[in-house]
Amino acid sequence: MWTIYHNPRCSKSRQTLQLLQEKGIDPEVVLYLETPPDRKTLASLLQKLDIPARDLLRTGEDEYKALQLKDPGLGEEQLLDAMAQHPRLIQRPIVVRGDRAVLGRPPENVLELL
């Protein structure tokens, strides 16, 4: 099963979804800004992505600055809490297939999951 954590306003997210569809894949689309992943789901995504929480943060968002998330003293738990409460902080798109996931930046990254 394929899942994409998608933001239709993001060009990379739209391109990634289109690429999947061109390959005959009809993923479950999670509009993560409308239905944000909870902390447990985020932790699972990080494990599948094999990256630390900090690598999933969008550093250009106002919330990143307001919550002072640049602070290197913040741990995984605090960053997960911030992303769960403020889903705009989550990099997009995230594509999941089984126990693996990739960020669709660039969109061609999803080809690794084929």
Side-chain angles (χ1 to χ4, degrees), residues 1 3 34 43 55 61 67 78 84-85 90 98 101 106 112:
M1 177 171 171
T3 304
E34 295 175 16
D55 288 355
E61 297 296 333
L67 298 169
Q78 292 153 308
Q85 293 171 15
I90 303 169
E112 296 174 23

Side-chain angles (χ1 to χ4, degrees), residues 100-113:
R100 296 178 52 217
V102 295
L103 282 171
R105 291 184 167 270
E108 294 77 20
N109 282 353
V110 300
L111 299 177
E112 296 174 23
L113 297 177

